[in-house]
């Protein structure tokens, strides 16, 4: 009965080799978020979508891109991963307003060799 | 960048003990505060959404209070059980934007 699904759970890539992380939801929520959490740090917002409106946080590196082809799916593309991009990537959804509870996926742990 | 601090960073308690930890946030532009529980290898799970000064919310043995004037929220766990072992995250939403700012979490281990 998973509501927010992230694939893969673990991803290993090589320095500079593009990687795509995926998130899908069965909740039909309008809002989708991508967070990056590095070891011992707070989750940091990279992007969010309100429906099809894309919001890129000011300090999100250009190396990170996102796509939301429909309500259910959202992708995070890392064009040229560096060692500093190794982290847990969390996807979350919310129904509408920004005060609504966020529903998280289990995360994708990215390792960069 | 807004500063959201959680303390302590980690704690170990014996089964049956009650415990509490703190989330501190800027008091000047509060809009909402969320608490999440994140068990290892699982998804973070929402515990509470708090929006009003003086709010007290309860879910089973877990409760939370909110003081927006002084910029803190407490999470209490009464009679801790091993299944309460998790990282507890707070997320602050200011009234100036649409981004949540998370704390680094409090890692709780309940020893049987």
């Amino acid at each position: 009965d998973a509501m927010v699904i992230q694939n893969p759970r673990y991803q290993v890539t090589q320095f500079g080799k593009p990687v795509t992380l995926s998130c899908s939801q069965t909740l039909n929520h309008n809002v989708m978020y991508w967070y990056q959490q590095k070891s011992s740090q707070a989750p940091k917002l990279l992007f969010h979508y309100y429906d099809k409106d894309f919001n890129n946080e000011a300090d999100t590196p250009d190396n990170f891109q996102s796509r939301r082809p429909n309500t259910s799916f959202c992708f995070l593309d890392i064009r040229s991963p560096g060692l500093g991009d190794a982290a847990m990537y969390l996807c979350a959804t919310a129904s509408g307003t920004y005060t609504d509870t966020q529903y998280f996926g289990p995360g994708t742990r990215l390792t960069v060799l | 960048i807004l500063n959201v601090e959680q303390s302590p960073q980690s704690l170990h308690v014996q089964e049956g003990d009650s415990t509490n930890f703190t989330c501190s946030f800027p008091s000047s532009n509060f809009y909402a505060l969320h608490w999440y529980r994140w068990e290892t290898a699982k998804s973070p799970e929402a515990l509470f959404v708090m929006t009003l000064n003086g709010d007290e919310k309860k879910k089973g043995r877990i409760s939370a209070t909110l003081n927006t004037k002084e910029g803190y929220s407490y999470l209490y766990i009464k009679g801790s059980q091993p299944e309460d072992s998790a990282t507890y995250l707070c997320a602050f939403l200011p009234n100036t934007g649409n981004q949540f700012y998370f704390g680094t979490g409090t890692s709780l281990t309940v020893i049987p």
Side-chain angles (χ1 to χ4, degrees):
Chain A
D1 287 37
M3 296 181 288
V4 182
I5 301 165
Q6 290 189 245
N7 285 305
R9 294 288 304 273
Y10 301 91
Q11 176 73 59
V12 180
T13 191
Q14 291 182 333
F15 184 94
K17 185 174 181 181
V19 67
T20 295
L21 310 182
S22 74
C23 177
S24 63
Q25 54 134 338
T26 60
L27 297 163
N28 203 34
H29 282 171
N30 284 328
V31 188
M32 292 188 81
Y33 301 89
W34 278 107
Y35 291 94
Q36 177 194 61
Q37 187 190 30
K38 297 185 179 180
S39 180
S40 302
Q41 295 184 21
K44 178 182 175 301
L45 184 65
L46 295 174
F47 321 96
H48 76 275
Y49 285 88
Y50 193 101
D51 198 9
K52 293 183 179 179
D53 291 336
F54 175 70
N55 296 270
N56 187 24
E57 299 310 310
D59 55 354
T60 298
D62 292 339
N63 196 26
F64 290 83
Q65 305 286 321
S66 182
R67 297 170 282 138
R68 189 178 185 186
N70 53 52
T71 301
S72 301
F73 286 88
C74 196
F75 300 97
L76 173 62
D77 301 308
I78 309 176
R79 292 192 295 186
S80 182
L83 298 178
D85 297 327
M88 173 72 83
Y89 290 87
L90 290 165
C91 173
T93 73
S95 62
T97 68
Y98 294 108
T99 55
D100 289 341
T101 296
Q102 294 185 47
Y103 293 82
F104 284 86
T108 295
R109 171 76 64 188
L110 178 68
T111 300
V112 181
L113 301 177
Chain B
I1 297 178
L2 298 178
N3 199 26
V4 178
E5 295 186 355
Q6 291 189 246
S7 61
Q9 188 174 1
S10 67
L11 72 164
H12 293 70
V13 301
Q14 293 286 353
E15 181 175 355
D17 287 351
S18 295
T19 187
N20 66 85
F21 25 92
T22 307
C23 174
S24 301
F25 51 83
S27 60
S28 57
N29 56 349
F30 176 87
Y31 194 76
L33 187 87
H34 292 197
W35 279 101
Y36 293 88
R37 173 171 59 199
W38 193 0
E39 295 179 63
T40 301
K42 295 187 178 179
S43 304
E45 173 194 5
L47 289 174
F48 304 112
V49 174
M50 311 188 79
T51 56
L52 297 174
N53 184 44
D55 256 356
E56 290 190 32
K57 300 262 175 120
K58 188 174 181 181
K59 183 185 287 190
R61 294 178 291 98
I62 304 177
S63 60
T65 61
L66 178 68
N67 184 325
T68 60
K69 296 186 186 305
E70 296 183 36
Y72 64 83
S73 176
Y74 292 142
L75 192 78
Y76 299 91
I77 303 178
K78 183 177 178 182
S80 302
Q81 299 297 308
E83 58 265 30
D84 296 328
S85 297
T87 295
Y88 291 82
L89 288 167
C90 67
F92 167 72
L93 179 66
N95 60 12
T96 53
N98 53 20
Q99 174 181 171
F100 280 91
Y101 294 86
F102 280 79
T104 54
T106 292
S107 174
L108 173 67
T109 303
V110 181
I111 304 164

